[in-house]
Amino acid sequence: MSDAAAKKFTLRNPDWESLVRDILDRQPIVKTLGIEIEELSPGRCTLAMDFRPELAQQHGFFQAGVVSILADNAGGMAAASLMPAGADILAVEFKINFIAPAKGSRMRARAEVVKAGRTLTISQITVSMQDGDREVDCALMQQTCMAVGG
Amino acid sequence: MSDAAAKKFTLRNPDWESLVRDILDRQPIVKTLGIEIEELSPGRCTLAMDFRPELAQQHGFFQAGVVSILADNAGGMAAASLMPAGADILAVEFKINFIAPAKGSRMRARAEVVKAGRTLTISQITVSMQDGDREVDCALMQQTCMAVGG
Amino acid sequence: MSDAAAKKFTLRNPDWESLVRDILDRQPIVKTLGIEIEELSPGRCTLAMDFRPELAQQHGFFQAGVVSILADNAGGMAAASLMPAGADILAVEFKINFIAPAKGSRMRARAEVVKAGRTLTISQITVSMQDGDREVDCALMQQTCMAVGG
Amino acid sequence: MSDAAAKKFTLRNPDWESLVRDILDRQPIVKTLGIEIEELSPGRCTLAMDFRPELAQQHGFFQAGVVSILADNAGGMAAASLMPAGADILAVEFKINFIAPAKGSRMRARAEVVKAGRTLTISQITVSMQDGDREVDCALMQQTCMAVGG
């Protein structure tokens, strides 16, 4: 856990990490796509997945919607980390700008909560592609999630 | 082709239908997900796909990002139908609101171009779920595409 | 009240019209800009304002943010019409696409609620400019509001 | 000019600063609202304006649309700083999340370009309110601008 993250957010659930991993584990699509957690701290989450040709669009890059799946999920997990015990998380809306082709061998979505409210949590997510030695940002998302239950 | 659509937009490519179907056919993810064209006319496109458990989130409904894939693709095809011959299409950005769980047996995304500019095309897309006899709207997208080449 | 609107939404406040007009009246900016209600029914609201040169951008058209003020307010009033008595309304987020210059003598924002939830209300708003005999759409907004209190 | 900004972006106009200040000066609304430049470097712009009661919503804070005006303009100026000589700038679309009431004596919008393309420029803008000694973030915008002419 970074000091910045620790200072910025109020933890409402001592078992936040179990809750996040459990929500992710219960999503069949996470297994289907091979999505993995690379980093996790309160209010922050990095998810990653390897490129697979069957998820490509017409130029052989990740299709825009696949980029959205990873980004949306990373934002949801960052938000879930700050929720009370027993809560579940719903995506309310998001907006994504595609700033470069999603070209490379591995995609990463780094999410950070910018506002954790009682009802709504707002996150910013940056998606990058690992392309050989270079890592290039390819998309930016602003997302709203809602806690339900808990 | 509906009269409304025919009147509203200027066709720049007599072979618009081949261009749209070709872009869709060249996307591996379209085959992977089983996405089908249900309706196609200049400036409009309805895509659909059946529910599959391996694409679900933790409640057994389509994950938000999967909803985005279908909506984004429908918007892209509606935009592509109005482009000049030889052009290709890129998603610039989109915003999506999730208004009901994506619960049901078949998902449909109905896209309509609202502005076809020289460079940018703006579309609105409504996503619905067929749940037994009922069809329920579950998401709304506003999308910007850019024509490249052509 | 249109039949469509009447059928679609559940009124939670018999005095919805007073509540909407009251929220609008209590906003100093509404008077400052000369914003007027042109139409009002449950789940729908059309607001309008005349062009004034001091609100223009560098080409003599309404500045993008001024377009947003009218659209955001129209969406907020459409949402407020479906809220319980005593509630107030907050804008959570919105997204707006500018599809033509906001050029003309009078701007109109037509808002329609697409989903009225317990906590969140989603609306779509179309902004147009009256330019002589023609009325031209210039912007599209998708907006989320939250009811507070009530 | 910060080193970071200098490294990140390619200047296409040695007179970028004149171009930005000129676009801002030619906007009547900038004078009407008392918008001032607080910081300006290639790819970055901070605009600010003092609170005025006539621009408030029903709770005495800046109305959401007024927040959008400042944020949209800051993003436009950050984008304009990286454009070729003689170009003008148009807002294509933006999305804004309101994360706290716009309460205080002075509003600031800090914009940073995240992608400067040939046609489109994407910026992120953070809006804050100075409230006594505290400065509190109240809104986040993701924006697309298009260069015209130049």
Side-chain angles (χ1 to χ4, degrees):
Chain A
M1 188 198 319
S2 77
D3 279 6
K7 263 177 246 158
K8 202 171 174 184
F9 302 114
T10 308
L11 273 180
R12 289 180 245 183
N13 178 4
D15 288 331
W16 63 272
E17 194 167 344
S18 314
L19 181 129
V20 171
R21 292 186 184 274
D22 181 56
I23 293 179
L24 213 62
D25 284 349
R26 286 189 287 120
Q27 293 193 54
I29 195 167
V30 166
K31 183 169 283 186
T32 303
L33 299 181
I35 295 174
E36 299 166 316
I37 298 179
E38 285 200 349
E39 282 187 66
L40 188 59
S41 65
R44 289 185 189 171
C45 178
T46 301
L47 298 181
M49 62 185 276
D50 288 333
F51 179 73
R52 282 154 52 180
E54 67 266 30
L55 303 176
Q57 34 80 290
Q58 68 268 33
H59 305 105
F61 312 144
F62 272 125
Q63 200 266 350
V66 182
V67 178
S68 305
I69 293 181
L70 196 71
D72 173 60
N73 239 317
M77 294 313 106
S81 71
L82 302 176
M83 296 190 318
D88 206 339
I89 190 99
L90 284 179
V92 167
E93 60 86 31
F94 64 73
K95 185 261 201 287
I96 185 164
N97 282 75
F98 302 99
I99 60 175
K103 183 189 173 191
S105 57
R106 189 167 172 88
M107 176 163 57
R108 257 182 214 96
R110 292 179 174 86
E112 185 174 0
V113 170
V114 286
K115 161 79 184 214
R118 226 177 338 170
T119 312
L120 300 177
T121 298
I122 319 300
S123 302
Q124 286 184 322
I125 304 104
T126 304
V127 184
S128 64
M129 289 298 297
Q130 190 74 39
D131 194 12
D133 286 348
R134 300 170 61 219
E135 190 175 1
V136 179
D137 287 348
C138 64
L140 297 168
M141 181 182 281
Q142 219 166 283
Q143 181 213 44
T144 309
C145 284
M146 181 157 57
V148 284
Chain B
M1 189 198 314
S2 78
D3 279 7
K7 262 176 248 160
K8 202 171 172 183
F9 301 114
T10 307
L11 274 180
R12 288 180 245 184
N13 178 4
D15 288 331
W16 64 272
E17 194 167 345
S18 313
L19 181 130
V20 171
R21 292 187 185 274
D22 181 55
I23 293 178
L24 214 61
D25 284 350
R26 286 190 286 121
Q27 292 192 54
I29 195 167
V30 166
K31 183 170 282 186
T32 304
L33 298 182
I35 294 174
E36 299 166 317
I37 298 180
E38 285 200 349
E39 283 187 65
L40 189 59
S41 65
R44 288 183 191 173
C45 178
T46 302
L47 297 180
M49 62 184 277
D50 288 332
F51 179 74
R52 283 155 51 182
E54 67 265 30
L55 303 175
Q57 34 79 289
Q58 69 269 33
H59 306 104
F61 312 144
F62 271 126
Q63 199 266 350
V66 182
V67 177
S68 305
I69 293 181
L70 196 72
D72 173 59
N73 239 316
M77 295 310 109
S81 71
L82 302 176
M83 295 189 320
D88 206 339
I89 190 96
L90 284 179
V92 168
E93 60 87 29
F94 64 73
K95 185 259 202 287
I96 186 164
N97 282 76
F98 302 99
I99 61 175
K103 182 191 173 190
S105 56
R106 189 167 172 86
M107 176 163 58
R108 257 181 214 98
R110 292 177 174 87
E112 185 175 0
V113 170
V114 286
K115 162 79 183 217
R118 226 179 336 173
T119 312
L120 300 177
T121 298
I122 319 300
S123 302
Q124 286 183 321
I125 304 104
T126 305
V127 185
S128 65
M129 289 297 296
Q130 190 75 40
D131 193 13
D133 286 347
R134 301 168 61 218
E135 190 175 0
V136 178
D137 287 348
C138 64
L140 297 168
M141 182 183 279
Q142 218 166 280
Q143 180 211 45
T144 308
C145 285
M146 180 155 59
V148 285
Chain C
M1 189 198 316
S2 77
D3 279 6
K7 261 175 250 160
K8 204 170 170 184
F9 302 115
T10 308
L11 275 179
R12 287 180 245 185
N13 178 4
D15 288 332
W16 63 271
E17 195 168 343
S18 314
L19 180 130
V20 171
R21 292 187 184 275
D22 181 55
I23 293 178
L24 214 61
D25 283 351
R26 284 189 287 121
Q27 292 192 55
I29 195 168
V30 166
K31 183 170 280 185
T32 303
L33 299 182
I35 294 174
E36 298 165 319
I37 298 178
E38 284 201 350
E39 282 186 66
L40 190 58
S41 65
R44 289 184 189 173
C45 178
T46 301
L47 297 181
M49 62 183 278
D50 288 332
F51 180 74
R52 285 155 50 180
E54 68 266 30
L55 302 177
Q57 34 80 288
Q58 69 269 34
H59 305 105
F61 312 144
F62 271 126
Q63 199 266 351
V66 182
V67 177
S68 305
I69 293 181
L70 196 71
D72 173 60
N73 239 317
M77 295 311 108
S81 71
L82 301 176
M83 295 189 319
D88 207 339
I89 190 97
L90 284 180
V92 167
E93 59 86 30
F94 65 73
K95 186 258 200 287
I96 185 164
N97 282 75
F98 302 99
I99 60 175
K103 182 189 174 191
S105 57
R106 187 166 174 87
M107 176 162 58
R108 257 181 214 99
R110 292 177 174 88
E112 185 174 359
V113 171
V114 285
K115 162 78 183 218
R118 227 177 337 172
T119 311
L120 301 177
T121 298
I122 319 299
S123 302
Q124 286 185 320
I125 304 104
T126 304
V127 184
S128 65
M129 289 297 298
Q130 190 74 40
D131 193 13
D133 286 348
R134 300 169 62 218
E135 189 174 2
V136 178
D137 287 349
C138 65
L140 297 169
M141 181 182 281
Q142 217 166 282
Q143 180 213 45
T144 308
C145 284
M146 180 155 59
V148 285
Chain D
M1 189 197 319
S2 77
D3 278 5
K7 263 174 246 161
K8 201 170 171 185
F9 302 114
T10 308
L11 273 180
R12 288 180 247 183
N13 179 3
D15 288 331
W16 63 272
E17 193 167 344
S18 314
L19 180 130
V20 171
R21 292 186 185 275
D22 181 55
I23 293 178
L24 213 62
D25 284 350
R26 287 188 286 120
Q27 293 192 54
I29 195 166
V30 166
K31 183 170 281 185
T32 304
L33 298 183
I35 294 173
E36 300 166 316
I37 297 178
E38 285 200 349
E39 283 187 64
L40 189 59
S41 65
R44 290 185 190 172
C45 178
T46 301
L47 298 181
M49 61 183 278
D50 288 334
F51 180 73
R52 284 154 51 181
E54 67 266 29
L55 302 177
Q57 33 81 289
Q58 68 269 30
H59 305 105
F61 312 144
F62 272 126
Q63 199 267 350
V66 182
V67 177
S68 305
I69 293 181
L70 196 72
D72 173 61
N73 239 317
M77 296 311 108
S81 72
L82 302 177
M83 295 189 320
D88 206 340
I89 191 98
L90 284 180
V92 168
E93 60 86 31
F94 64 72
K95 184 262 201 287
I96 186 165
N97 282 76
F98 302 99
I99 60 175
K103 181 189 174 192
S105 57
R106 188 167 174 85
M107 176 163 56
R108 256 180 215 100
R110 292 177 174 88
E112 184 175 1
V113 170
V114 285
K115 161 81 185 213
R118 227 178 336 170
T119 312
L120 300 177
T121 298
I122 319 300
S123 302
Q124 287 184 320
I125 304 105
T126 304
V127 185
S128 65
M129 290 295 299
Q130 190 74 42
D131 193 14
D133 286 348
R134 300 170 61 219
E135 189 174 2
V136 178
D137 287 347
C138 64
L140 297 169
M141 182 182 281
Q142 218 165 284
Q143 181 212 44
T144 308
C145 284
M146 181 156 59
V148 285

